Every structure is written in C-alpha cells, then in structure tokens.
Amino acid sequence: MVGYYKVKAKKGLLVREGAALDTPEVTTLDNGLRITCEEEATVDGKVRLRLTSPVRGWASKKLMDFERKLGARPTGAPPWLRKLAAPDGAEKRIVFFNWTGNRGGYGSSHNFKDWPKGLAGFECYEVQMTGRGARMKEKLRKEPAPLFDDVAAALDDALAGGPPCVFLGFSFGAIIAAEVGSRLRAAPLRLVVAVSCEGPAFPGRSATKMAALGDDAFEALLREKKGTEFILNGGEAMKKMYLPVVKADVALEEAYAPPAAPLLSCPVLAYVGKKPGKDHEKTTVSEADAALWDGATTAGAKVHVFEDDWYVLLHEADVTKIIADVATFYYAAAPAAAAAPAYGDFAVAPLG
C-alpha cells in the first residue's frame, strides 16, 4: 500500500536506485525515520516500495511500518521541515535555512522562533539539517549536490500547490536555499533572501582547507577562530557530539562548486553588515561579493548594507528591516515586473 511509513529496521533501511535487488545503493535511512512511498512492486517474490521522501529510491516493505494513506498530508511532514507557525488563512510561506559553515560558530547562536511575530499571514518553517536536534543521530552531509537533491525532493512534495513561498538563508544556508529552490518543480518559489552570504560565484569558499585537517589541528584552528567555545569548553562528550557536525559543515561548504548558469528565476534580496565580525578573522561579506547574487538569478538582485557586523541576524533592528521587506515584497504570480514595488521603506513592530 502506498502512503506514509516509518522505518522499523534497527540497522537502518537500505535504499536502492531501482526495485531490483542488484541496483546501486542510494543510502541507508535510520530506524524510526518517517518516509513517503508512492509505488509498490514485487521483485523475486519480495515486496518493494518506491520512496519519494526523504530520498528517492526503492526499499523493502517488510522493513517499514505503515502509518497512513497519502492524501491530507500536512505541510512540514517530511523530516527536513519543522513548523514554526501556520496561522489560519495564511497567504504566503517562508522557509528558513540556517547554517554555521566555517565562519566561527556564531551563525548557530540565533534561531527563527520569534520571526512569525512580524510575519502575520505567513506559514513559517525551518529546514532541519541532519546532525542537529531531533536528527542528531542521522548521517552528516558533506557532498553538496546529493544534499540539494534530497532537500528539494522533500520540499517540492511538501510545499506543492501552496501559497507563494520565500526561502531565506543565513550564511551558507543561503546557497542551500538557492540550490534547493532551483530544483523545485511544483512549489511556487517567489523570492530568495540571502543574509551574510556571498553570491554562488564567490571563489573563496574552498580557500580555508579546513576539512582536510586532522581532528587535533581542526580543533586548534576553531579555538583560534573563536565562536565555538561552547563546544570546545563543554567537555569531551560535547566535543564528540558537535565537532563532527561543524567539520561536516565545513566540508560541505568547501566542496561547493557554483553552476555556470543562473540558478533562479525569482528575485533575490541580499543583506550584509559592513563591520567586521566578532570572530578572530573579523569576518565580513563585502557589498561587491553580495552583489554576485545578481548573476545567480534572471530576475535581478538587490543588496542592502547594514551598519552592523557580519552577524546580521543577532541585531534586532536588522532583523526587523529584513522582516519588513519580506512581509511587503510584491508576490506576483511570476517574477516581479520592473514597475512592481519590490522594495521600500516600511514600518513593522520590533521583535521582542
């Protein structure tokens, strides 16, 4: 039966590219993970199901527990999405992509739980990466393209047929948002917001070479960079739990190769702070590097420069400005026309 299932294999559920048992392996999904299956086939006497979320492929039906039929599926059902707010009558959606990357750790010191206060009329969701929160035990992702494909498949299914959608990403989260957005086929993406992030064509992401360091050298460099003291000074258990996550983040960012053609057909709003960051390297994203977002979309990009530092989302006034721009953006059914009021000075109540 097609529908929603839960993995019941203690050693995980092996997913293959095809229904046949000799096709290449895709991945192994953790026990307890919820999955979507949309086709059933019998191969060599074994019942196989075609998975569409959180990955695409085929797996053994006997290693899954049926939960319910397809149909009235709530948006946010896949493990990649966590619902923050879904008010009745919401006419728009926003999906947040958080990230730490190699910028020293301050990127994870905020969250988006208060953003719905300024986004009345928006359903608000946050992408949940593996290795964090409820997905702490799931496999860390270090290869960009497979990650983008998997998240896009899940979100395209969950957001299909809904209201106009915004993807907002912080740091490398903005790159993930754009790459995932470029892969959507059914979900109506209207806007990408990039905060503290150079455009995809920025050549400096692979320059740090941190991912190749041994564990001791990697930890020493993090201490020098600053921003992850809560991990490094939290004891061996804390380091064992979180340092692999940080290193996987770094490997993912360093491995990213931008496409030659524009990723998007919707507008991009980019935000950067002009002052150096609080980390040892005094991180900044220049206005020129943020302007590289213009080449990532056929609909144009606009850069706003704050007087604060790189950690834009730690500054309430900056967050309030971004929320106001998102809330008042012109959400046309197609990329905004030249005459559409895509940007402006608008008032919105501060968070808090």
Side-chain angles (χ1 to χ4, degrees):
M1 180 184 297
V2 298
Y4 296 95
Y5 288 76
K6 182 187 290 187
V7 178
K8 67 173 182 181
K10 291 184 178 180
K11 294 183 179 181
L13 178 70
L14 178 61
V15 181
R16 296 184 179 274
E17 288 184 1
L21 301 179
D22 58 354
T23 58
E25 297 180 6
V26 175
T27 189
T28 299
L29 299 179
D30 288 346
N31 186 43
L33 186 66
R34 286 181 168 82
I35 52 183
T36 306
C37 304
E38 295 191 350
E39 183 180 349
E40 183 173 312
T42 301
V43 179
D44 296 332
K46 299 181 184 297
V47 180
R48 309 279 288 165
L49 291 175
R50 181 172 65 87
L51 281 60
T52 57
S53 177
V55 298
R56 296 180 183 273
W58 290 79
S60 173
K61 184 178 181 179
K62 72 177 183 179
L63 297 178
M64 308 179 220
D65 277 333
F66 177 75
E67 291 194 325
R68 66 183 189 277
K69 295 181 180 180
L70 295 173
R73 167 180 40 80
T75 298
W80 290 105
L81 280 181
R82 183 172 73 93
K83 181 174 69 176
L84 302 179
D88 292 339
E91 298 180 350
K92 305 178 187 71
R93 285 175 175 155
I94 185 166
V95 179
F96 301 107
F97 293 72
N98 200 353
W99 205 247
T100 56
N102 65 8
R103 303 308 178 91
Y106 282 101
S108 62
S109 61
H110 76 280
N111 58 53
F112 297 103
K113 65 182 178 64
D114 287 331
W115 283 59
K117 296 178 183 178
L119 290 169
F122 278 77
E123 293 179 357
C124 301
Y125 299 90
E126 186 172 24
V127 168
Q128 299 186 111
M129 299 295 293
T130 58
R132 297 155 172 81
R135 308 189 72 187
M136 178 64 70
K137 295 182 179 180
E138 294 184 46
K139 181 180 178 180
L140 297 173
R141 309 303 291 264
K142 301 178 183 180
E143 299 179 17
L147 171 66
F148 303 152
D149 290 343
D150 291 348
V151 179
L155 268 60
D156 209 20
D157 177 55
L159 304 176
C165 189
V166 184
F167 281 3
L168 183 151
F170 175 60
S171 187
F172 194 67
I175 297 296
I176 300 176
E179 288 281 357
V180 169
S182 74
R183 289 162 165 78
L184 298 182
R185 296 295 177 265
L189 185 63
R190 298 285 188 260
L191 174 68
V192 169
V193 180
V195 183
S196 299
C197 184
E198 302 90 344
F202 176 64
R205 291 189 172 89
S206 62
T208 60
K209 307 299 182 185
M210 291 176 62
L213 295 175
D215 291 345
D216 291 343
F218 184 75
E219 180 178 337
L221 187 55
L222 285 183
R223 288 190 181 279
E224 181 182 353
K225 285 169 65 68
K226 298 184 178 180
T228 50
E229 288 85 356
F230 69 100
I231 297 174
L232 300 176
N233 298 331
E236 290 304 313
M238 179 75 79
K239 289 194 292 184
K240 183 179 180 180
M241 182 178 298
Y242 288 110
L243 283 182
V245 179
V246 178
K247 196 167 187 179
D249 291 355
V250 172
L252 187 67
E253 184 169 343
E254 290 184 357
Y256 177 67
L263 281 168
L264 302 165
S265 58
C266 67
V268 175
L269 301 183
Y271 299 85
V272 294
K274 66 187 300 183
K275 297 179 182 178
K278 300 176 179 67
D279 57 330
H280 178 75
E281 295 178 358
K282 305 299 181 185
T283 300
T284 58
V285 175
S286 72
E287 183 175 1
D289 287 336
L292 293 173
W293 280 102
D294 194 56
T297 176
T298 58
K302 183 165 184 176
V303 179
H304 181 88
V305 181
F306 291 113
E307 294 297 321
D308 293 306
D309 61 28
W310 180 83
Y311 304 101
V312 167
L313 297 188
L314 297 183
H315 301 283
E316 184 177 291
D318 300 350
V319 170
T320 300
K321 165 64 175 171
I322 296 171
I323 286 177
D325 290 344
V326 169
T328 54
F329 188 82
Y330 182 75
Y331 292 93
Y343 218 86
D345 295 317
F346 304 96
V348 66
L351 299 177

